[in-house]
Amino acid sequence: MLERVSGALALVGGRTITALQGMGQAWALLMASAASLRNADVWLPHLLPQMARIGVASVPIALFIATFTGIVMSLQASYTLTGTIPVYFVGTLVGKTMILELGPVLTALTLAGRVGANISAELGTMRVTEQVDALETLAYDPLAYLVVPRVLAAILMFPIVVLLAIALGIGSGWITALQLLDMSSPEFVKGLRLFFLPWDVWFAVIKSVSFGAVVTGVGCYFGLRTERGAEGVGRSATRTVVVASMLILCLDAFWAATLL
Amino acid sequence: MERRREALVGLVVLLGIAVGVVGTIWLQGGLRRDMVELRAATANVGQLVAGAAVRFRGVSVGRVDAVAVTPGGEAVMVHMSVRPELVLPADAAVLLAPESVFGDWQAEILSLTELDLPYFVDYPEDGVLPGAALPDFSRLTATADEIARNLTVISERFQIAFTEQTALQLRSAIENIGEVSDGLSEIIAQQAARFEDLSEGVNASAAELGAAARVARTSFERIDSIIGSAGAGEMLGDAGAVLSNLRSLTDELNSSLGDMRAAAQQADTTFARFDVLLAAAETGDGSVGKLLGDPTLAEGAIEAVQELRALLADIQENPRRYLSFSIF
């Protein structure tokens, strides 16, 4: 009996220590990466390629998701807003939801799978194949070479991708309202402008910046901590997607509570 | 390859920035470079927020830029941007009102003479329009709720007061009212018939009065003709003598009547006394009563009368036995 209790306590304690160690290592990685910003000659040449990989290459999937999100939002809004609620509130609902929530969050979740897993797998492979060690041996700063350009590229490109996704989501919702819901453009635009505030766009940008940092930071963290060969790489990629998605949703709630 | 990648990244970045900036400006209602600032002071602003539409005669002419309480806290200043070509009325004011029932408000520029509301705030500063805000839907809802509660109380009281017994009594009262109205109808019908009879009688009386008047007129004409004739004075003198004789006859009759009244009084007194005597006789009091009531006395009286008659006869026959005259 005593052994079982002590075993359970050891399990909880071990998990707690592991989690705290992980948080501490993440914090240490963050601080080290911030310190690596000084080595601009190392990370700057890699910034643009990473922007292309993380940002430009992610635009199609982000727009695809935003398009169908806008269509579904418009249809569901018209399905919900019946009776006494005027139909132009479809525009309000589509616009507000796309700008404040679905545009940034769905894009970030999508990119957590695409970008985060990609980074984790790439760095994990480099770790298990000792390429990271080779960089250190060659006196390269691996963080400035691998982490900083990816995180900076995500911070810069995530808002761009999110803005495009928001625009296309609203546009697809608009077209859906015109073609399927028997609404007119003035009605949709009236609803779209009804409760619009410029701050909404800034809110979306701030969120997407934080989401970009989280997705790439988590990918780099788990990638650099990969062990045990290909299996470890797969595990790191999975963990990256899961943790990044959780952090995205937590941040989403945090920003909503603090900024709105 | 590298240059193409750079161009692609630059294109995406610029496109994203352009979408964000242009979209924001468009959703705000477009560029407003040449807008004119307008201010209005109100007691409160309801749910008006920055970005709300400014309308003039129903047309959107601008947007609300900011809403802020004045430094003294006595009013709320609404800052607006409107089109420069807009010509405001001389007595322009700003009315804040809900644009729909879903919480979106607007600022409407209007003339005070068009809508003479008593609660426009007249802020003592040049260039500030007087403003007012209509009650919020929440206040209207609260008022409606209060009315509904009052109606509920009234209905409950009515329900308490209006029992089955009340309904029966009310029904009985209605029936009574029906009966009363029927009775009143009958009375009115009777009265109408009587009035008709009366009116017919009045008509007949009026006809008779007319005939009598005509007869009287004829008589008076005759009297006038008689009075106007030659023997009228003699007739009047004879009439005066006749009247004088009648007056003296009347006086004599009066005196005779006075004597007769006295005689009647005496007769009354006599009859009263006779009543007393008869009463006494009936009760057996007094001589007459005893005489009437007691046969012995009557018989005694008869015997006494017979003896008295015999005595008188004896006296007549033998006066000296009973009477003696002597002088000295």
Side-chain angles (χ1 to χ4, degrees):
Chain A
M1 180 67 183
L2 189 62
E3 290 181 357
R4 287 184 179 180
V5 172
S6 63
L9 288 174
L11 181 64
V12 172
R15 292 288 175 87
T16 304
I17 291 170
T18 303
L20 290 174
Q21 281 179 341
M23 292 172 65
Q25 290 168 353
W27 180 254
L29 177 65
L30 180 66
M31 291 295 105
S33 300
S36 298
L37 284 171
R38 294 173 301 182
N39 302 323
D41 56 332
V42 176
W43 58 260
L44 193 56
H46 301 283
L47 181 60
L48 194 67
Q50 291 301 330
M51 287 173 69
R53 281 184 59 194
I54 293 173
V56 177
S58 300
V59 168
I61 184 65
L63 296 187
F64 179 82
I65 290 173
T67 300
F68 283 92
T69 303
I71 292 171
V72 171
M73 278 300 303
S74 187
L75 291 172
Q76 288 190 349
S78 68
Y79 173 74
T80 306
L81 305 178
T82 56
T84 57
I85 301 175
V87 70
Y88 61 80
F89 268 82
V90 173
T92 306
L93 194 62
V94 170
K96 276 285 185 183
T97 310
M98 285 302 299
I99 295 172
L100 291 176
E101 184 64 23
L102 292 184
V105 172
L106 281 185
T107 304
L109 289 175
T110 305
L111 297 190
R114 184 188 178 278
V115 174
N118 180 280
I119 291 172
S120 180
E122 185 181 9
L123 297 188
T125 303
M126 291 177 72
R127 170 62 75 184
V128 298
T129 56
E130 298 179 348
Q131 294 181 52
V132 178
D133 300 330
L135 287 173
E136 290 175 349
T137 304
L138 294 170
Y140 265 95
D141 180 1
L143 296 182
Y145 187 80
L146 297 174
V147 175
V148 173
R150 287 171 172 77
V151 173
L152 281 181
I155 287 173
L156 292 174
M157 291 307 291
F158 261 51
I160 302 297
V161 176
V162 166
L163 287 175
L164 292 173
I166 289 171
L168 197 66
I170 292 173
S172 63
W174 188 349
I175 293 169
T176 304
L178 295 181
Q179 298 299 323
L180 300 179
L181 305 180
D182 198 22
M183 277 181 68
S184 65
S185 284
E187 281 180 319
F188 189 87
V189 173
K190 177 184 179 181
L192 202 58
R193 289 176 170 172
L194 192 58
F195 294 105
F196 174 77
L197 295 173
W199 169 249
D200 295 347
V201 177
W202 283 111
F203 180 72
V205 169
I206 291 169
K207 280 170 67 170
S208 55
V209 166
S210 67
F211 293 161
V214 163
V215 167
T216 50
V218 170
C220 292
Y221 171 76
F222 283 108
L224 292 176
R225 286 173 50 82
T226 304
E227 295 174 345
R228 292 192 290 273
E231 183 186 356
V233 172
R235 191 181 298 115
S236 295
T238 303
R239 283 181 178 176
T240 298
V241 174
V242 172
V243 173
S245 299
M246 291 170 61
L247 287 177
I248 285 168
L249 296 176
C250 291
L251 268 177
D252 185 39
F254 172 76
W255 289 128
T258 54
L259 295 182
L260 291 182
Chain B
M1 182 67 184
E2 184 67 24
R3 190 167 184 81
R4 186 182 172 197
R5 180 187 292 166
E6 290 175 355
L8 193 60
V9 171
L11 177 66
V12 171
V13 169
L14 290 177
L15 188 64
I17 293 172
V19 165
V21 173
V22 174
T24 302
I25 292 172
W26 178 72
L27 288 174
Q28 274 188 298
L31 290 172
R32 296 180 291 160
R33 285 177 298 182
D34 300 328
M35 304 297 258
V36 175
E37 188 189 6
L38 203 62
R39 291 185 299 162
T42 63
N44 66 80
V45 293
Q47 297 185 32
L48 187 81
V49 295
V54 179
R55 298 184 187 278
F56 179 64
R57 302 191 187 283
V59 179
S60 180
V61 294
R63 287 205 168 256
V64 174
D65 291 330
V67 175
V69 179
T70 55
E74 68 275 21
V76 181
M77 194 67 72
V78 179
H79 299 266
M80 297 165 283
S81 295
V82 298
R83 294 176 186 167
E85 66 271 18
L86 182 66
V87 178
L88 297 176
D91 56 347
V94 175
L95 179 68
L96 310 181
E99 189 176 7
S100 72
V101 296
F102 301 99
D104 47 325
W105 278 50
Q106 65 177 10
E108 185 174 7
I109 300 170
L110 44 79
S111 171
L112 273 177
T113 54
E114 292 177 8
L115 190 64
D116 189 15
L117 292 176
Y119 43 86
F120 273 100
V121 172
D122 195 6
Y123 194 71
E125 186 177 329
D126 291 337
V128 177
L129 299 177
L134 291 182
D136 191 6
F137 279 110
S138 58
R139 294 185 190 176
L140 296 177
T141 307
T143 306
D145 182 58
E146 187 177 354
I147 292 170
R149 276 189 273 117
N150 291 336
L151 285 175
T152 304
V153 171
I154 290 170
S155 63
E156 287 175 355
R157 290 177 180 174
F158 187 75
Q159 194 173 5
I160 292 169
F162 196 79
T163 59
E164 187 178 358
Q165 186 178 1
T166 309
L168 292 173
Q169 290 174 352
L170 189 61
R171 181 179 175 182
S172 175
I174 291 169
E175 290 175 354
N176 291 336
I177 289 170
E179 291 177 0
V180 169
S181 62
D182 291 340
L184 284 173
S185 299
E186 289 180 3
I187 291 170
I188 289 169
Q190 292 174 1
Q191 292 296 325
R194 287 177 184 174
F195 275 120
E196 288 178 0
D197 295 341
L198 185 61
S199 62
E200 289 176 358
V202 167
N203 288 331
S205 300
E208 290 176 357
L209 281 172
R214 284 191 295 275
V215 171
R217 188 180 300 122
T218 307
S219 301
F220 284 131
E221 286 172 358
R222 288 177 182 170
I223 289 169
D224 285 339
S225 64
I226 291 169
I227 290 171
S229 64
E234 187 180 351
M235 287 177 69
L236 287 173
D238 294 341
V242 170
L243 287 173
S244 177
N245 293 334
L246 281 172
R247 191 175 295 116
S248 61
L249 180 60
T250 304
D251 292 339
E252 289 175 359
L253 285 172
N254 283 333
S255 62
S256 300
L257 286 172
D259 295 339
M260 288 176 71
R261 193 175 294 113
Q265 287 178 350
Q266 288 178 353
D268 288 340
T269 306
T270 304
F271 283 128
R273 289 176 181 173
F274 189 69
D275 284 339
V276 171
L277 287 174
L278 284 176
E282 285 178 355
T283 55
D285 294 336
S287 300
V288 178
K290 289 178 179 175
L291 185 62
L292 292 173
D294 192 355
T296 309
L297 286 174
E299 290 172 357
I302 292 169
E303 287 177 1
V305 170
Q306 288 175 351
E307 287 177 357
L308 188 57
R309 283 179 183 168
L311 181 59
L312 286 172
D314 189 45
I315 289 169
Q316 285 175 354
E317 289 176 358
N318 302 303
R320 293 186 184 232
R321 188 185 295 174
Y322 296 99
L323 296 172
S324 64
F325 289 99
S326 65
I327 301 170
F328 306 111

